[in-house]
Amino acid sequence: PRAIHLKDYRVPPFLIDRTELHFELGEKATLVKSRLSMRRNPDSDEGDAALQLHGDTSLVLRRLQLDGKDLSVSDYQRDDESLTIAQLPDNFVLECVTLIKPQENTSLEGLYKSNGMFCTQCEAEGFRKITFYLDRPDVMSVFTTTIVANRQDYPVLLSNGNPVEQGEQEDGRHWCRWDDPFKKPAYLFALVAGKLEQVDDSFTTQSGREVALRLFVEPQNLDKCDHALASLKRSMAWDEQVYGREYDLDIFMIVAVDHFNMGAMENKGLNIFNSSCVLANPATTTDAGFQRIEGIVGHEYFHNWSGNRVTCRDWFQLSLKEGFTVFRDAEFSADMGSRTVKRIEDVSLLRTAQFAEDAGPMAHPVRPASYIEISNFYTLTVYEKGAEVVRMIHTLLGAEQFRKGSDLYFERHDGQAVTTDDFIQAMEDASGIDLGQFRRWYSQAGTPVVEVSDDYDAEQRRYRLKVRQHCPATPESDSKQPFHIPLAVGLLDEQGNDLDLGDGQTTKILHLTEAEQEFVFEGIDSQPLPSLLRGFSAPVKLRYPYSAEQLVFLMAHDSDGFNRWDAGQRLAVDLMQGLISDYQQGRELVLDRSLVEAYTKVLSDRSLDPAMVAKLLLLPSEAYLAELAEVIDPEAIHLVREFVKRELAQALQGLLMDAYRHNRSEGDYQLNADAIARRSLQNAALSYLMTLEQPRILVLAQHQFASADNMTDQLAALSLIAHSGFESERQQALSEFYQQWQQDPLVVNQWLSVQATSPRDDSLTQVKALMAQPLFDLTNPNRVRALIGAFCGQNAVQFHRADGEGYRFLADQVIALDKLNPQIASRLLTPLTRWKRYDSRRQALMRAQLERIMAGELSKDSYEIVSKSLA
Ligand code: B3K
Ligand code: ZN
């Protein structure tokens, strides 16, 4: 497999003005007829270059016609990936008939079947599995799609745009034609055919146009549609208010499918969703699930402007649409719920998973410079770090100038395929602010480290911050230029009040642009305590030698909600790192009182939002502790975290019990911010209490499990009981839950994950046993993620068992899956790619499995990941 480089980009030599597609859907085979109105691109410098259409090996070419005349095999050349035709006129019509077999397509890319329904996934390069085409995002065309299928099995026939015509045939087949007036690249094409029910709604845009909203689901899911539709309407209103963006077609459709490689897809006017990211009701969906769905529905909807109306020139620019759209959906969620809680969740993900990616063998810039398989670059770096980069632009420009910039961007580039540089340029042009150095965030990989020290001169009433930045080497480059980092800073006085930093400002943005800089604050009456990187103003690792007392103080007083939480995290991390090394040295573990004191304050402070209390109580995750470790010791991390949790539970029993009782509501389920917050605190408290292994607490959990009227409470209780040492009770709860929910595949997935993430020593055996049951299906990515993904990715202590069986298990699964679904196989590999972070024994075991995978025949997807990991 060969790498593709950004520097080799050339404009397409041909354009496609019109694309007319005709699908004859069948059980044995599907015929795809295309009629492409093409011309040479006047902007191309490739002269009379041949036309090279993308086309997967699986396409069976039945007929090819140029301007109505048949072409014979000597008129074109075919290889594994393309079809080449030379000596073409400047304008022509190319017609092509291909035969494909969607029912055999387990890659879930291109046209495939899920539970008897036909559906498509074309991003990034799936359209070439449907027909021969210029399958690149800078070739934008107007599409008309006709779908013909048996009416009985496929009463619903959908594609992009507006339905314009339909009819019946004599043979029991019917057809429907769709017209999409907006030019789009092939990756936004979609087709769905199946026995689907629909729920209708509508939205009136700010200019008074009525848009029909339609959610299509399998009949058994009709009671799970309300939340997605309500989220969609909120998204549409939000994008009008915050970005001035109105929806453009008369109809917006969402389809839920069970077999899907990722969360959802923003196809023009016809979003296709993984059923797990759209279907919800209180009995089957947790609060986190509801919030996730709202965010994803928003994300896909927002793509209509940031992605579809303005799209990417090439796939190196992926973050142009993804980073920006994640930023948009995060702000949407922040506006719909608690801003601080949303920020805490996003930063937690970034600091654990994205920072780990940035420090691993697959590290790449937000705008990668090369790839072997683009599917491997739908990463936390492109999405989450990309969103942080857009957030920093927002910080540097301020809300008003940022809005001017986005307006200019959408206006200037509507209908175009552009680059991240075009985005920055629009921001610069609209605001007049220089983002020259800032652009390095797009081209340099790695997580910058920012080290801060300070001194205070009482006589001069002067406070100074010394700041140094550096960025560790990553595979693509050893030396990094300094980044432009907006560092948001506040200074607290002895009472914990913010100092005025000029003009009544209590938070100031310091512009770090050099490797070393000094910032001076004048007129400071006493030694202040700095609150640094407020709101996590840049995706960096911040170092400042805070003492435990200072952190406890910040936890109680910082006016920045994010930093209050982060002070608690720092305090806990410091203590736990000490305990991890105590454990490794065989010393007795003793928990320092500072954490107990801090948590006592948190639990006693009735003025705090319960959601915030729940977040403050959550100890740093094992994944975060691993990311911070020099050499990761999964066992020590797990045991120490459990120890700290138990010690805290012992010391705070009374307060935790109060928090549990006070926030628990039996019956009267509600889904609003207040109720969600209370449930989160209730379940956080129960999770601490369960570590005490007391029968009376077990009874509480069992009662909650049995009486719950919502999945949040039921699943929280199940997972605590299932991960406990109460043997018969855990088996009973697991089997009752399965009995109750076996008909609901999404809930069964949750049940699988609970077992896969159990820290008990028998969990690998359990996972294997579950895989052997008929309910498991290697061709269903949700099942694979729920069981194999959860075990390997979220159960560090068992995946990293000393005997290496976890690694062998993952390698076995990847080898089997790579033949069926390369995208899922290569995703699953992530935990093995981090082998360099472990002790030498584990390194050898992990490496051996990577080498075993490498020895077989591999997809491009897995080849890229494994070869880069071993390099
Ligand atoms: N754009 C899609 C992701 C497609 C992934 C293809 N391997 C979903 C999203 O980010 O909205
Ligand atoms: Zn997206």
Side-chain angles (χ1 to χ4, degrees), residues 736-847:
E736 276 175 23
F737 190 86
Y738 183 70
Q739 291 305 318
Q740 187 182 352
W741 295 113
Q742 53 183 312
Q743 303 309 331
D744 190 312
L746 297 176
V747 183
V748 171
N749 289 340
Q750 309 259 40
W751 177 78
L752 293 171
S753 288
V754 164
Q755 297 172 81
T757 53
S758 165
R760 298 161 47 97
D761 285 336
D762 63 353
S763 60
L764 179 55
T765 313
Q766 291 299 330
V767 168
K768 288 179 179 166
L770 289 165
M771 281 182 68
Q773 287 190 25
L775 65 92
F776 188 76
D777 173 7
L778 208 52
T779 66
N780 183 332
N782 286 353
R783 284 282 196 263
V784 171
R785 281 184 283 253
L787 197 53
I788 307 173
F791 176 77
C792 302
Q794 294 164 51
N795 191 353
V797 69
Q798 290 304 324
F799 174 66
H800 292 283
R801 314 159 31 131
D803 64 5
E805 282 307 305
Y807 309 146
R808 178 188 305 280
F809 168 73
L810 177 52
D812 287 345
Q813 304 317 316
V814 166
I815 290 167
L817 257 168
D818 197 50
K819 308 261 177 293
L820 298 168
N821 188 331
Q823 282 181 25
I824 298 297
S826 83
R827 290 260 144 171
L828 223 47
L829 272 164
T830 307
L832 273 181
T833 65
R834 307 282 154 81
W835 61 276
K836 287 189 182 138
R837 304 288 317 272
Y838 294 84
D839 59 88
S840 57
R841 229 188 95 86
R842 285 196 172 91
Q843 283 197 12
L845 291 165
M846 292 170 93
R847 242 193 102 94

Side-chain angles (χ1 to χ4, degrees), residues 317-499:
Q317 318 298 329
L318 184 57
S319 198
L320 173 78
K321 73 179 179 81
E322 296 305 347
F324 186 23
T325 305
V326 171
F327 172 70
R328 276 151 58 68
D329 85 54
E331 285 297 294
F332 167 63
S333 294
D335 285 345
M336 297 299 117
S338 158
R339 178 162 286 271
T340 304
V341 168
K342 173 66 179 157
R343 191 67 188 135
I344 289 170
E345 287 166 354
D346 289 350
V347 173
S348 299
L349 175 67
L350 189 87
R351 282 205 302 215
T352 53
Q354 196 281 325
F355 281 13
E357 183 169 278
D358 239 352
M362 277 293 290
H364 54 276
V366 169
R367 184 192 58 216
S370 78
Y371 59 76
I372 292 176
E373 169 53 60
I374 185 58
S375 298
N376 286 330
F377 286 78
Y378 286 75
T379 58
L380 290 150
T381 300
V382 165
Y383 276 66
E384 312 304 323
K385 186 176 181 179
E388 293 299 319
V389 172
V390 175
R391 181 177 297 280
M392 288 190 283
I393 298 177
H394 189 275
T395 303
L396 292 171
L397 269 60
E400 209 173 300
Q401 297 297 317
F402 183 88
R403 169 65 192 270
K404 279 193 197 155
S406 72
D407 283 352
L408 178 61
Y409 168 72
F410 288 126
E411 181 194 293
R412 191 183 268 178
H413 298 297
D414 190 8
Q416 297 178 3
V418 303
T419 63
T420 54
D421 224 47
D422 292 319
F423 179 78
I424 308 279
Q425 191 64 49
M427 289 290 164
E428 275 186 332
D429 291 349
S431 67
I433 289 173
D434 177 6
L435 296 170
Q437 182 181 355
F438 186 84
R439 283 174 166 82
R440 287 179 190 156
W441 283 106
Y442 285 92
S443 58
Q444 297 189 136
T447 307
V449 178
V450 172
E451 283 175 282
V452 181
S453 61
D454 57 352
D455 62 70
Y456 176 64
D457 183 337
E459 216 159 288
Q460 305 284 333
R461 297 168 59 235
R462 178 178 293 154
Y463 178 68
R464 279 191 309 182
L465 285 176
K466 277 194 202 151
V467 187
R468 289 160 32 136
Q469 60 159 302
H470 68 93
C471 182
T474 53
E476 96 297 344
S477 112
D478 289 349
S479 75
K480 314 272 178 181
Q481 302 289 108
F483 291 87
H484 181 177
I485 300 171
L487 183 71
V489 173
L491 301 178
L492 275 65
D493 69 16
E494 279 142 19
Q495 282 72 50
N497 297 315
D498 276 320
L499 296 182

Side-chain angles (χ1 to χ4, degrees), residues 636-781:
I637 289 175
H638 177 71
L639 290 173
V640 161
R641 193 172 182 278
E642 291 297 293
F643 165 79
V644 173
K645 222 176 145 180
R646 201 162 49 240
E647 290 290 300
L648 288 167
Q650 226 135 37
L652 302 168
Q653 257 186 83
L655 284 170
L656 287 165
M657 194 58 93
D658 287 350
Y660 181 74
R661 295 232 163 85
H662 185 74
N663 289 288
R664 171 143 174 75
S665 82
E666 274 187 85
D668 186 31
Y669 168 85
Q670 290 185 34
L671 183 70
N672 55 46
D674 183 51
I676 293 174
R678 291 166 58 111
R679 279 191 288 276
S680 69
L681 179 50
Q682 162 206 326
N683 288 313
L686 186 61
S687 154
Y688 272 98
L689 291 167
M690 275 295 280
T691 62
L692 299 173
E693 297 185 47
Q694 293 173 1
R696 67 176 183 120
I697 311 249
L698 173 67
V699 170
L700 276 188
Q702 285 177 311
H703 178 69
Q704 174 172 324
F705 175 75
S707 68
D709 61 357
N710 65 85
M711 188 49 77
T712 306
D713 286 344
Q714 196 183 13
L715 194 69
L718 173 71
S719 120
L720 290 172
I721 299 168
H723 294 183
S724 78
F726 296 105
E727 190 51 43
S728 66
E729 287 83 355
R730 67 179 288 277
Q731 290 197 12
Q732 192 189 341
L734 282 167
S735 103
E736 276 175 23
F737 190 86
Y738 183 70
Q739 291 305 318
Q740 187 182 352
W741 295 113
Q742 53 183 312
Q743 303 309 331
D744 190 312
L746 297 176
V747 183
V748 171
N749 289 340
Q750 309 259 40
W751 177 78
L752 293 171
S753 288
V754 164
Q755 297 172 81
T757 53
S758 165
R760 298 161 47 97
D761 285 336
D762 63 353
S763 60
L764 179 55
T765 313
Q766 291 299 330
V767 168
K768 288 179 179 166
L770 289 165
M771 281 182 68
Q773 287 190 25
L775 65 92
F776 188 76
D777 173 7
L778 208 52
T779 66
N780 183 332

Side-chain angles (χ1 to χ4, degrees), residues 173-200:
R173 292 167 75 76
H174 70 144
W175 59 272
C176 189
R177 178 164 304 136
W178 293 80
D179 224 336
D180 183 357
F182 293 95
K183 280 202 308 177
K184 66 168 176 286
Y187 84 85
L188 290 172
F189 170 80
L191 175 156
V192 170
K195 234 183 217 159
L196 297 166
E197 301 283 339
Q198 71 190 60
V199 180
D200 286 353

